[in-house]
Amino acid sequence: MSTARKPFFKVRRSRVHGLGAFATRRIRKGTRVCEYLGDRITHKEADSRYEDKDEDDNHTFLFIVDRGIVIDAGVGGNDARFINHACDPNCESVTEKRRVFIEALRTIEKGEELKYDYSIGRAKSDPPNVDEIYACRCGAPKCRGTMLWPARRPKPRKPKRAAKHKVS
């Protein structure tokens, strides 16, 4: 008799984007759904692997673990890479001892798509159309319109003026 557990989700076509992960059964709040797996590489290696990638292509399976490690789920990854982004997610990513897990934020019903907030960080080197490249299609009532965080590019600060001193 097999002791293997039925997986929490199955991958199929998603209305949000490409493929998505859909619950195969009811998943209770707090359940650790899966681990995000793939080739564990340095940031430098991740940059070199994808340096020829079109900058208008937002499709990536890279997950930043910390300052030293990136998981490339495009190489040796599992189906966790198909969990899509949402601004009002039902899952979250949790990093523990340099491993990344996906956990349910609330009870998820059978057939519901699993989603977590990617919170992709902004960089000074981002192209001007970065919000279009990483546009969000989650459909949530309070969708911020982008997978990036913060939601909008910070406005440049005006330089402070030198204080004028009154001469008596």
Side-chain angles (χ1 to χ4, degrees):
M1 185 170 165
S2 174
T3 58
R5 295 186 66 196
K6 181 181 173 185
F8 285 106
F9 64 91
K10 183 177 180 180
V11 175
R12 63 179 168 89
R13 180 95 16 242
S14 168
R15 289 183 186 160
V16 174
H17 183 259
L19 297 174
F22 293 82
T24 56
R25 60 185 171 180
R26 189 171 197 242
I27 303 170
R28 291 193 181 278
K29 177 181 178 177
T31 300
R32 187 162 278 182
V33 177
C34 63
E35 182 174 1
Y36 193 94
L37 298 174
D39 198 11
R40 298 173 70 80
I41 58 177
T42 64
H43 288 265
K44 186 176 180 179
E45 173 65 19
D47 290 344
S48 72
R49 278 188 187 179
Y50 299 98
E51 67 187 347
D52 294 332
K53 186 178 174 196
D54 181 355
E55 72 175 22
D56 289 338
D57 180 4
N58 75 353
H59 199 75
T60 181
F61 294 128
L62 298 176
F63 197 111
I64 296 171
V65 177
D66 58 26
R67 294 180 72 180
I69 300 289
V70 175
I71 297 173
D72 184 353
V75 179
N78 61 354
D79 285 346
R81 70 184 184 265
F82 297 112
I83 300 174
N84 280 316
H85 163 86
C87 296
D88 184 19
N90 54 18
C91 293
E92 67 180 336
S93 62
V94 177
T95 304
E96 257 179 36
K97 297 180 183 176
R98 302 180 105 185
R99 294 171 64 190
V100 176
F101 300 94
I102 307 301
E103 294 184 0
L105 282 170
R106 61 169 174 77
T107 297
I108 301 166
E109 298 302 328
K110 181 179 179 178
E112 191 176 345
E113 184 170 3
L114 306 181
K115 302 173 197 165
Y116 66 93
D117 189 337
Y118 288 2
S119 297
I120 299 169
R122 293 181 178 276
K124 289 182 181 179
S125 60
D126 286 341
N129 65 336
V130 71
D131 286 305
E132 294 163 25
I133 296 168
Y134 289 96
C136 178
R137 300 176 191 91
C138 75
K142 291 187 178 180
C143 177
R144 64 180 182 260
T146 181
M147 292 183 263
L148 302 171
W149 191 257
R152 295 283 165 237
R153 185 179 289 237
K155 293 181 181 174
R157 289 183 168 186
K158 294 180 183 177
K160 291 183 179 180
R161 292 188 203 170
K164 293 183 182 180
H165 295 288
K166 213 178 201 182
V167 180
S168 317

